[in-house]
Structures are given as C-alpha cells and as structure tokens.
Amino acid sequence: MNLRDLSDAELAATLAVEAGRILKDVRETSGLEGKALGKAGDAAANAYLCETIRAARPEDGLLSEEEKDDTARCAMSRVWIVDPVDGTREYGERRSDWAVHVGLAVDGMATTGAVALPGLDDGVVLRSDVVEPLKPAAPTPRFLVSRTRPAKEAVAVAKAMGGELLEMGSAGAKAMAVVRGEAEIYLHSGGQYEWDNCAPVAVAQAYGLHCSRIDGSPLVYNREDTYLPDLLICRPKYADTVLGLVRGS
C-alpha cells in the first residue's frame, strides 16, 4: 500500500490503527510497567508516526507531543498534529481509557482526524470521514471529567444542570465517549496542548457536535504557542446553556 495515494482521512486512520498496534505490542512484550512502559510506548509510536507522515506527506508540517517543535510549521497551511499516546498514565497502568491522536489542521482549523482507542476490546477507531448517527442522548446530561483532576467548571456546571459526573482517563477517550454516546458533555479547563484535542475535535465536528473554547471562541491550531488550555465538546442542544453557566461562574 502506497500511503501517498491515500486520502488525508484514510492516512490518519491507517496511522492511528498501526500506532495502536505498536503500542499494544510494546505493552505485551516489553516487560515494562508504569512510567517506564509509558515512555517506551510513546517513543515507539512517535517514531512510527513521524517517520511515516514525513514520507507520506513531505510537503506538510508536523507537530508531535514527543518531538522537538519546529516552528517553521507556523508558516505552513497544512500541519499534522499528533499525540502518540494520549493518556500515558492510563497506558502505563494497563487501563483501557487511552488513545492515539492523528489530526490535520488546515489554515488553523482541525479538518481531518482519527482517534484510535486500542485499549478497548474492539480496538475502535473514530474517523472524521466515517460518521454514524449519534445515539440518543440520556435524559440527564452526563459530564466527562478527569479521574484525578476534575475541572472545577465542569463540576459546577454539572451541579447547576443536575448532571452526572463520569470519570475517565485521557482527553481523547473522553471526547470519543461523547461521540460514542456514552456521555453528552466534555467540559475541560485544566490545561491542554494542541495535540491533546486536534484529532478529537476533527472527529467530533464531523459527527455534528459542538466544539469550542469554554468562552465560545473557536479552537485554533498551528500556533507558535501550542498551549490550548480549555475546550467544550458537547451535544449542540447543551452548548448555549453550558457556555452561559461558565460565563456566570
């Protein structure tokens, strides 16, 4: 298979799936645990993703969490933004709630993405080009929050809306839980970087979900400063209420 012949979305999905396979192999054969396992998995998946993207799309820019940033990308229209292991702690602890992110930003917007969830039994990959109907929303809105650092805004908004808090690991796992109909709202304010949410946002937008900063402004990528501290991914019917409550908090 010549990866240069694939569409951007097909390439993103292929890379996410293969990186997930590499990560599972490292976890099963390395004999490592905890932080050492996370470090080894990150290195192996990052090497594969960066090498393959540069070979398949040599004219595009690249931003990876695990590689020194070349800010020459800021002058490029098309930039791949990847997180080889989103949820390194969960991966190192052999949990299921971690992800692989492969996203493409064009002129600062998350346009294409794939998020693999290799830790799940079915090894699912969510793609911006293969969209299924959303499952019916629960009567009571379910909020995804960190299992270790729940965002205070999410806790306050959930309380105001009579919502339920669901704890989960990585950002990608939480965002895809909304896509998969396992929750309705992912409100985060505890600090992230572009690689934490570019691919998830591309997928969530393709599914018709609301995606923005928590002040309602757009999520913009391929900036020199990659810090992108907050976001909201939710069912559209909840967006105005959530944003209003955040502004009033």
Side-chain angles (χ1 to χ4, degrees), residues 151-171:
K152 64 178 183 179
E153 287 86 352
V155 173
V157 172
K159 182 177 180 180
M161 294 176 63
E164 175 186 0
L165 296 178
L166 302 179
E167 295 182 351
M168 191 173 287
S170 81

Side-chain angles (χ1 to χ4, degrees), residues 127-175:
R127 306 168 47 159
S128 57
D129 65 328
V130 180
V131 177
E132 300 178 358
L134 291 172
K135 295 179 180 178
T140 299
R142 296 165 292 179
F143 286 71
L144 276 307
V145 295
S146 168
R147 65 190 183 97
T148 57
R149 303 178 303 278
K152 64 178 183 179
E153 287 86 352
V155 173
V157 172
K159 182 177 180 180
M161 294 176 63
E164 175 186 0
L165 296 178
L166 302 179
E167 295 182 351
M168 191 173 287
S170 81
K174 288 194 280 285

Side-chain angles (χ1 to χ4, degrees), residues 101-125:
H101 298 175
V102 181
L104 173 65
V106 178
D107 297 331
M109 299 293 104
T111 60
T112 303
V115 178
L117 302 171
L120 299 181
D121 291 340
D122 54 359
V124 66
V125 58

